[in-house]
Amino acid sequence: MLVKYAAKRTWPEKSAVWEHQGEAETAQAFAVEFATIEQLGVDVEFLVMEREGGGEIQFFRVAGTSPFRVLPAESRAGGVVAPAATAVDESEPEPIAMPSMSPVISMLTYMARVAFMAILVIAVLGFAMKYIRAWLS
């Protein structure tokens, strides 16, 4: 019996939309079809969700590309492999991942370099125009 599935990438680049939808006999077969159609590279991770019924979600990782081979994978949270699903202990709150400040710092560094170069060019052009005016007068 064919079941409807949808798939999207989760790592290293996370997709906001379902990239592939279709029918297959198993989630594993659909995962191989998705990896083949999208020509995914080795170690790319994605999820496959059953669209009807229970809406079961399974994570896969591309293990080989010729022919495409996929293996079950763990869910990634914040770029770190999450532990296997276990009983939830309500007494300990789940740690919250801090966002990376690296992109902000690199953007500010880039903006500072551009501002420095702009000020330097304007100053040099000001002196150059002053001497050109004096020379033409």
Side-chain angles (χ1 to χ4, degrees), residues 96-137:
I96 298 173
M98 292 295 294
S100 174
M101 292 301 291
S102 177
V104 174
I105 292 169
S106 65
M107 180 190 65
L108 291 174
T109 304
Y110 172 76
M111 289 172 49
R113 282 189 279 160
V114 169
F116 176 75
M117 290 302 293
I119 291 170
L120 185 66
V121 167
I122 290 171
V124 168
L125 287 176
F127 283 119
M129 291 190 65
K130 179 180 173 184
Y131 288 114
I132 290 174
R133 282 189 192 149
W135 183 65
L136 292 176
S137 305

Side-chain angles (χ1 to χ4, degrees), residues 37-82:
I37 290 173
E38 295 295 325
Q39 294 294 304
L40 301 179
V42 175
D43 290 335
V44 171
E45 294 183 10
F46 57 95
L47 69 89
V48 173
M49 183 181 89
E50 187 177 323
R51 290 179 34 202
E52 295 176 349
E56 182 181 330
I57 297 175
Q58 295 181 27
F59 291 86
F60 293 95
R61 177 178 52 87
V62 177
T65 58
S66 187
F68 276 93
R69 234 174 11 108
V70 297
L71 298 174
E74 299 284 329
S75 169
R76 285 187 181 252
V80 178
V81 177

